[in-house]
Amino acid sequence: MSARTIVPLEESWLFQADHRNEGLSLKWYEHGLTSGESVKIPHTWNVQQGLEEFRGTGWYSYNLFVPADWEGKLLRLQFDAVYRDAVVWVNGKRAGEHAHSGYTTFIVEISDLMNCDADNRIVVSVNNENSQTALPLGNSFDWADDGGIIRGVSLIVSGRVAIDYSKLQAVPFFEDDLSGTTATYGLLSGEIRLWELGSEADIKTLQLKVTLSNEEGAVASQEWKLAETEGALRFRDFRVDQLKLWHFDHPHLYTVHLAIYVDGVLSDEVSTTVGFREIRSDDRTLLLNREPVRLFGVEWMPGSNPEHGMAETSEQLAEMLHHIKHANCVITRFHWQQDSKLLDWCDQHGLLVQEEIPHWQTPNEPGDEWLNISLQHAEEMLHRHYNHACIYAWGLGNELNGQSEMTNLYFEKLKSQVHELDNTRFINYVSNTVHEDPAQDTTGAGDLIMWNDYIGTWHGDLNRPEVIRSITKGIPNKPLVVAEYGLCEPAFEGGDERRTQILVENTMEYRKHPEIAALIYFSLNDYRTQMGEEGEGRLRQRVHGSMNLNGMPKPSYEVLRQFASPVTVSVNSELGSLVITVEVRNDIPCHRVSGYTLELNDAHGERIVKVIPELAPGQRHVFSFTEIPQERWSEISLEIIRPTGFSVIRGSLNDLNNNFIG
């Protein structure tokens, strides 16, 4: 029997908007809601008719039966995210609150407030009014400010000595400095932070058992007995042989099962996943598992489904993430903290992520007074998401005044504090001012140069090649990532045709500069935002994407997919044979191709599958098919498929015949 039970609290919540701010005076927290709308969590009121423009307080109420055998257990309510300021009551008593951060997980202990073998009442008030003490600040941020319990809620039941969170380091070790798809071995180390130990003095021994497994079953298990905890259990150098590395094309994951025993009795257990991978830079080169890579990506703005807003379901999140991978993009960034379920998908399917605190443009020149709130955001993000293999970097600010000395000092102090929390990942600042005076700009204090390039639109007419050279000269010895480029309508004219032109022309220029390590096109989708220049209510949006709000692709989406493909294909005939040449790009994207397959299908259901041998950038492989008569070539479609199952190139032989533009 498991020592931990997780009860999802999703169905049958009551919700009521508090238009007149009377909830406290009417003691809704004590009596619960006697009327209101039955809603399912996740939920936001800002996509409901009549409440699209409501910024204020909403109330939620839930009845929960607690069985008698939970007596003496540790009971915790976990809120995956509430936007934004929340107060939680249990049976009329204030249990906890969470403020200033609307996209991070928080947990409230309710053990002493619950009645066993009885019904219990949980009440939550949520306020999404503009705030001058929260991030994002005020009304100046470029996404939707949907209020509500926007992510999942669950009750965690365990023994009194329990795990709060874990921070696991999965480090591969290579035989030499040469790149490869495997490592000789790996070492797993970790820190397991315990929930507050009210009865710790009565504990004689604590035992930690760690079991590691992969898709083939258990790999190894190890136990540690620990007398001193200081609120955490630590272990080091758990060795893993015959290691499989995590890579965006080969996202191998290991499951780590953590079990806590108190005086020999199992008190709590939890499972998480890790990926053994190494991401670092060497001068201007980005290295993934020792391989020099140049990566292509796109940014997606979640919360844009007009029916669900920021309360998108796991299935809807997965659908949009699938569009990213289908577009051949392997790297992205998020302007605010995301759901762990979303990051689980990125772990499992191979998508590199920079996750950021929502510090966007304002305050323009942050000072020391903002360090605590920014650190709260960073701590809550890191503690819950540390183990995700997909996260390669943390972002601590976007488009502030990067030319300001005050901003420089602020970021350096914040980075230093975050580095103490995690010294294994890049820590970055994303700049839209680095082109002005690169040597002065705050992004230079980050581990990567992150540049939002809007030359020709927001940044006016500048010479892009000269700007790139000035950036790399002004900030030497660091890889450059173009963190955004694209077209925002209706602020700028030209429609999707101009968006395609910007995508093509900018990408062709970026490919000429070897110091550029990655491109992140902006954006995958038109997105809901309270700053939007088009639409009203829940449809207020910025037309910035290659897909519309409803997830329908525009012509520029297919161009993005072609340009982000790591391979090109040419189709020819030679002495009556069908000849297909697959060549690996050697600019952007640029990485080894391993485990890819080529498939030929015809209208009669016949299928030919060929394994593409491992190829380095610039290498090619030629397939010759003598068994296919020339009169059938027009009936045949070709597809190249990644080892993760995502399509790289798909089309008829006629369409692909010397017509690949990427």
Side-chain angles (χ1 to χ4, degrees):
M1 183 176 179
S2 175
R4 171 180 286 212
T5 300
I6 299 178
V7 183
L9 307 182
E10 297 176 349
E11 305 283 350
S12 303
W13 286 75
L14 280 180
F15 165 75
Q16 189 166 327
D18 193 358
H19 292 281
R20 295 193 293 270
N21 289 319
E22 58 186 3
L24 288 175
S25 61
L26 294 178
K27 296 187 177 181
W28 288 354
Y29 61 89
E30 185 174 320
H31 305 296
L33 298 176
T34 56
S35 63
E37 176 188 5
S38 179
V39 300
K40 182 178 180 180
I41 303 302
H43 172 263
T44 175
W45 62 75
N46 288 120
V47 295
Q48 295 181 213
Q49 187 172 1
L51 294 176
E52 294 99 331
E53 304 292 350
F54 178 59
R55 304 299 185 273
T57 299
W59 290 77
Y60 295 84
S61 168
Y62 187 84
N63 290 326
L64 174 67
F65 178 79
V66 174
D69 58 1
W70 286 359
E71 186 75 42
K73 296 287 188 179
L74 177 67
L75 306 179
R76 292 172 286 173
L77 277 176
Q78 176 169 309
F79 295 85
D80 294 334
V82 176
Y83 192 84
R84 190 196 54 246
D85 297 337
V87 183
V88 181
W89 290 269
V90 173
N91 294 326
K93 296 182 179 179
R94 193 182 184 108
E97 62 184 87
H98 185 253
H100 311 308
S101 177
Y103 306 112
T104 51
T105 297
F106 66 96
I107 297 175
V108 177
E109 183 181 345
I110 58 173
S111 308
D112 297 335
L113 301 177
M114 299 292 266
N115 300 314
C116 292
D117 199 24
D119 285 318
N120 295 264
R121 184 174 54 256
I122 300 168
V123 175
V124 184
S125 69
V126 183
N127 185 281
N128 74 329
E129 292 175 303
N130 293 336
S131 172
Q132 296 304 308
T133 58
L135 290 177
L137 174 65
N139 196 43
S140 179
F141 52 94
D142 194 15
W143 54 88
D145 54 343
D146 291 343
I149 304 179
I150 61 171
R151 295 180 191 154
V153 183
S154 55
L155 178 69
I156 305 172
V157 184
S158 68
R160 300 295 299 190
V161 178
I163 298 168
D164 184 9
Y165 60 87
S166 62
K167 296 170 68 175
L168 306 177
Q169 296 88 43
V171 181
F173 286 83
F174 302 85
E175 288 185 344
D176 49 42
D177 288 334
L178 297 177
S179 61
T181 57
T182 60
T184 309
Y185 68 96
L187 292 179
L188 180 71
S189 301
E191 173 187 312
I192 293 87
R193 180 63 56 175
L194 301 178
W195 193 255
E196 298 177 6
L197 298 179
S199 58
E200 186 176 4
D202 299 329
I203 298 174
K204 295 178 182 178
T205 62
L206 276 177
Q207 185 177 359
L208 169 66
K209 182 177 181 180
V210 181
T211 303
L212 192 71
S213 60
N214 57 21
E215 62 273 12
E216 299 169 358
V219 174
S221 183
Q222 200 164 336
E223 297 181 11
W224 290 265
K225 288 186 178 180
L226 305 129
E228 300 293 332
T229 67
E230 297 181 353
L233 304 177
R234 296 175 178 84
F235 68 94
R236 290 180 56 82
D237 299 343
F238 188 156
R239 183 175 172 120
V240 184
D241 291 311
Q242 298 179 327
L243 191 67
K244 294 183 178 180
L245 294 172
W246 188 95
H247 182 280
F248 52 78
D249 272 340
H250 303 274
H252 295 297
L253 292 172
Y254 289 80
T255 298
V256 182
H257 185 78
L258 305 169
I260 303 293
Y261 294 82
V262 178
D263 298 334
V265 178
L266 181 63
S267 183
D268 192 22
E269 57 185 334
V270 66
S271 291
T272 185
T273 59
V274 298
F276 286 84
R277 53 106 180 99
E278 180 186 85
I279 303 177
R280 60 183 176 87
S281 63
D282 181 8
D283 195 36
R284 297 197 179 282
T285 303
L286 189 64
L287 299 170
L288 173 59
N289 298 330
R290 305 291 173 96
E291 177 191 0
V293 295
R294 302 177 74 192
L295 306 178
F296 211 121
V298 66
E299 184 175 349
W300 158 49
M301 299 291 277
S304 294
N305 184 302
E307 298 299 321
H308 294 265
M310 284 290 184
E312 288 168 314
T313 65
S314 297
E315 292 75 18
Q316 290 163 338
L317 296 173
E319 181 181 355
M320 294 304 293
L321 288 162
H322 187 278
H323 286 307
I324 292 178
K325 287 287 288 190
H326 182 73
N328 285 314
C329 294
V330 300
I331 188 170
T332 191
R333 55 181 286 241
F334 292 106
H335 282 19
W336 63 94
Q337 301 96 333
Q338 298 301 310
D339 195 332
S340 293
K341 298 182 184 68
L342 183 157
L343 297 172
D344 287 340
W345 193 100
C346 297
D347 287 341
Q348 295 161 10
H349 296 88
L351 182 63
L352 289 162
V353 171
Q354 172 166 301
E355 189 175 23
E356 303 175 12
I357 67 174
H359 201 164
W360 187 84
Q361 290 198 354
T362 309
N364 189 36
E365 295 181 285
D368 288 351
E369 69 274 15
W370 281 96
L371 284 172
N372 286 338
I373 185 66
S374 295
L375 190 60
Q376 174 196 340
H377 274 260
E379 285 180 336
E380 292 177 353
M381 175 174 68
L382 267 69
H383 289 165
R384 302 299 162 186
H385 294 166
Y386 187 96
N387 296 335
H388 286 285
C390 65
I391 297 177
Y392 77 97
W394 307 113
L396 303 184
N398 180 59
E399 295 190 352
L400 309 176
N401 183 2
Q403 295 288 300
S404 163
E405 182 62 28
M406 181 179 291
T407 305
N408 270 275
L409 292 173
Y410 163 82
F411 176 78
E412 288 174 353
K413 291 178 182 179
L414 181 58
K415 180 186 176 184
S416 175
Q417 294 182 66
V418 173
H419 189 265
E420 292 182 8
L421 300 174
D422 185 1
N423 62 3
T424 69
R425 291 179 170 95
F426 298 127
I427 301 174
N428 299 321
Y429 165 79
V430 183
S431 176
N432 65 339
T433 56
V434 63
H435 57 278
E436 297 176 14
D437 184 353
Q440 172 66 25
D441 201 83
T442 302
T443 193
D447 296 314
L448 303 174
I449 309 169
M450 304 286 286
W451 174 38
N452 290 347
D453 174 14
Y454 289 107
I455 293 173
T457 56
W458 301 110
H459 294 156
D461 292 326
L462 301 173
N463 185 303
R464 181 170 285 106
E466 290 184 4
V467 168
I468 294 172
R469 285 190 287 270
S470 71
I471 291 174
T472 55
K473 181 180 178 181
I475 309 176
N477 307 321
K478 292 182 180 180
L480 171 60
V481 175
V482 180
E484 291 182 22
Y485 66 109
L487 176 71
C488 181
E489 303 172 72
F492 298 95
E493 298 178 347
D496 200 57
E497 183 177 351
R498 187 180 178 194
R499 180 173 295 107
T500 300
Q501 178 186 359
I502 289 173
L503 171 60
V504 171
E505 292 180 355
N506 284 29
T507 302
M508 297 295 283
E509 181 60 43
Y510 299 143
R511 285 172 168 169
K512 300 174 184 176
H513 300 268
E515 59 270 31
I516 296 180
L519 307 177
I520 303 177
Y521 169 69
F522 190 84
S523 71
L524 178 70
N525 58 325
D526 298 339
Y527 56 96
R528 295 176 59 251
T529 168
Q530 45 83 38
M531 294 184 69
E533 301 94 341
E534 183 163 302
E536 296 180 353
R538 64 179 180 176
L539 298 178
R540 189 182 301 278
Q541 62 186 279
R542 275 196 159 163
V543 183
H544 216 318
S546 290
M547 306 180 77
N548 64 21
L549 284 189
N550 294 311
M552 296 300 294
K554 305 175 187 178
S556 60
Y557 176 86
E558 184 58 31
V559 178
L560 171 65
R561 173 170 154 79
Q562 292 174 349
F563 267 77
S565 170
V567 300
T568 62
V569 172
S570 62
V571 180
N572 296 283
S573 61
E574 185 176 301
L575 298 177
S577 295
L578 172 64
V579 177
I580 298 174
T581 302
V582 178
E583 182 171 357
V584 180
R585 295 206 66 94
N586 197 22
D587 38 47
I588 303 177
C590 178
H591 59 81
R592 177 189 291 106
V593 164
S594 173
Y596 285 48
T597 57
L598 182 149
E599 292 191 6
L600 298 179
N601 297 275
D602 68 12
H604 307 290
E606 294 188 29
R607 179 167 170 255
I608 299 174
V609 179
K610 297 288 186 179
V611 175
I612 300 173
E614 182 172 308
L615 300 173
Q619 290 183 333
R620 64 179 62 181
H621 184 76
V622 178
F623 293 94
S624 181
F625 299 90
T626 59
E627 68 273 31
I628 303 176
Q630 191 164 356
E631 60 269 18
R632 288 182 51 207
W633 293 359
S634 61
E635 303 174 357
I636 294 175
S637 65
L638 176 150
E639 185 172 17
I640 292 179
I641 302 172
R642 293 178 186 266
T644 49
F646 291 95
S647 173
V648 179
I649 293 172
R650 179 190 296 144
S652 69
L653 292 184
N654 287 343
D655 290 340
L656 292 170
N657 187 18
N658 297 315
N659 195 36
F660 193 79
I661 66 171

